[in-house]
């Protein structure tokens, strides 16, 4: 076989492979842009005013937590990768978005596929928790908002204890508080499991989930 012919064939093969991977990357980028537009369209409404329950806030906002998706949960959008290998950027905000204290704006949320999913909130220290708050933008119109959910306290041996079942109601304030049971039992993390949403069949958007309680190590309220 002529050496130059084999080199040319190999180069052509590699070029076709690169062109195919480039096309896949472009499709992924277009999907990411469509995701952003969809999130904006489903929540593109003015944000209602709400007032925090001061008696709950005074119990202490738990700081320093981290969030990650549950094992049976698929993120909506995920990551965009070059050639399917090299990660470029996230097509949607990360789970930690739900823990931020900034006022939520449309698409500033963590989305997951479907209406059933879970996020794990890992505490910086063991804490005794009293309340959990769930917040969305325009819950009266956003079908992607969570609806029914269950909260589990997770102990050091990774056993779970159900501490609350609640319903995020569309005709109430954007930020809603729910009491937790077994408040004297310190936990190391919390599982927030969404059982259904307000009607969006494709994805659910979790904007903010905040925990309130006291740090066991410091023995004082987390303010």
């Amino acid at each position: 076989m002529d050496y130059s012919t084999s080199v040319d064939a190999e180069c052509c093969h590699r070029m076709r492979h690169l062109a195919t991977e480039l096309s896949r990357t472009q499709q992924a980028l277009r999907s990411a842009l469509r995701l952003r537009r969809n999130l904006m369209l489903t929540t593109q409404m003015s944000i209602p005013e709400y007032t925090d329950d001061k008696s709950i806030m005074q119990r202490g906002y738990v700081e320093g937590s981290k969030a990650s998706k549950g094992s049976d949960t698929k993120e909506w959008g995920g990551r965009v990768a070059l050639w399917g290998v090299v990660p470029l950027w996230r097509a949607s905000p990360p789970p930690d978005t739900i823990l931020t204290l900034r006022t939520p704006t449309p698409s500033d949320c963590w989305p997951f596929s479907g209406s059933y999913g879970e996020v794990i909130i890992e505490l910086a220290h063991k804490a005794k928790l009293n309340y959990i708050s769930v917040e969305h933008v325009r819950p009266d119109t956003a079908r992607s908002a969570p609806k029914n959910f269950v909260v589990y306290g997770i102990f050091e041996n990774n056993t779970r204890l159900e501490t609350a079942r609640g319903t995020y109601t569309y005709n109430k304030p954007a930020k809603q508080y729910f009491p937790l049971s077994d408040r004297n039992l310190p936990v190391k993390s919390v599982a927030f499991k969404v059982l259904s949403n307000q009607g969006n069949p494709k994805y659910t958007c979790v904007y903010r989930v905040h925990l309130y309680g006291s740090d066991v190590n410091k023995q004082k309220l987390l303010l």
Side-chain angles (χ1 to χ4, degrees):
M1 179 182 292
D2 182 66
Y3 177 75
S4 61
T5 301
S6 62
V7 170
D8 290 342
E10 180 181 0
C11 290
C12 290
H13 176 74
R14 293 181 64 86
M15 288 298 293
R16 285 196 297 270
H17 174 72
L18 291 175
T20 300
E21 293 300 324
L22 179 59
S23 177
R24 290 176 181 174
T25 302
Q26 290 174 336
Q27 291 177 0
L29 292 175
R30 285 195 290 268
S31 297
L33 291 175
R34 284 197 298 269
L35 168 65
R36 288 288 185 178
R37 287 195 294 269
N38 287 340
L39 290 177
M40 289 293 290
L41 288 174
T42 56
T43 56
Q44 189 64 47
M45 294 288 185
S46 60
I47 300 173
E49 294 294 329
Y50 62 88
T51 56
D52 292 331
D53 186 330
K54 293 183 179 180
S55 66
I56 294 176
M57 291 294 290
Q58 289 173 355
R59 295 178 184 271
Y61 167 70
V62 177
E63 298 177 330
S65 301
K66 297 180 180 179
S68 60
K69 73 178 185 69
S71 59
D72 60 346
T73 303
K74 182 180 179 181
E75 291 182 294
W76 177 264
R79 294 178 180 271
V80 173
L82 180 61
W83 302 331
V85 178
V86 182
L88 296 178
W89 63 78
R90 294 185 64 92
S92 60
D96 278 336
T97 302
I98 71 171
L99 301 175
T100 60
L101 293 175
R102 62 179 178 269
T103 301
T105 56
S107 80
D108 182 23
C109 66
W110 174 64
F112 62 83
S113 296
S115 59
Y116 183 90
E118 179 182 75
V119 61
I120 306 296
I121 302 174
E122 182 180 352
L123 309 178
H125 306 283
K126 288 192 297 183
K128 297 178 180 179
L129 303 177
N130 301 307
Y131 287 87
I132 186 171
S133 66
V134 182
E135 185 176 5
H136 204 273
V137 291
R138 291 294 298 195
D140 57 327
T141 58
R143 298 173 63 211
S144 63
K147 186 176 181 181
N148 297 310
F149 63 87
V150 60
V151 181
Y152 296 97
I154 305 177
F155 302 97
E156 287 190 303
N157 60 1
N158 289 323
T159 59
R160 292 188 175 196
L161 177 66
E162 182 179 318
T163 59
R165 280 184 179 266
T167 300
Y168 185 81
T169 309
Y170 72 90
N171 58 355
K172 290 185 178 180
K175 189 169 188 177
Q176 300 173 23
Y177 296 89
F178 304 87
L180 302 177
S181 61
D182 299 299
R183 302 179 182 185
N184 293 322
L185 297 177
V187 297
K188 71 165 189 175
S189 54
V190 169
F192 177 75
K193 183 183 288 289
V194 178
L195 305 178
S196 63
N197 64 21
Q198 304 289 337
N200 189 318
K202 294 184 178 180
Y203 57 84
T204 301
C205 292
V206 183
Y207 275 80
R208 302 290 183 269
V209 175
H210 294 155
L211 298 170
Y212 304 87
S214 57
D215 188 331
V216 173
N217 294 336
K218 296 180 180 180
Q219 291 298 316
K220 66 179 182 179
L221 294 180
L222 298 171
L223 301 176

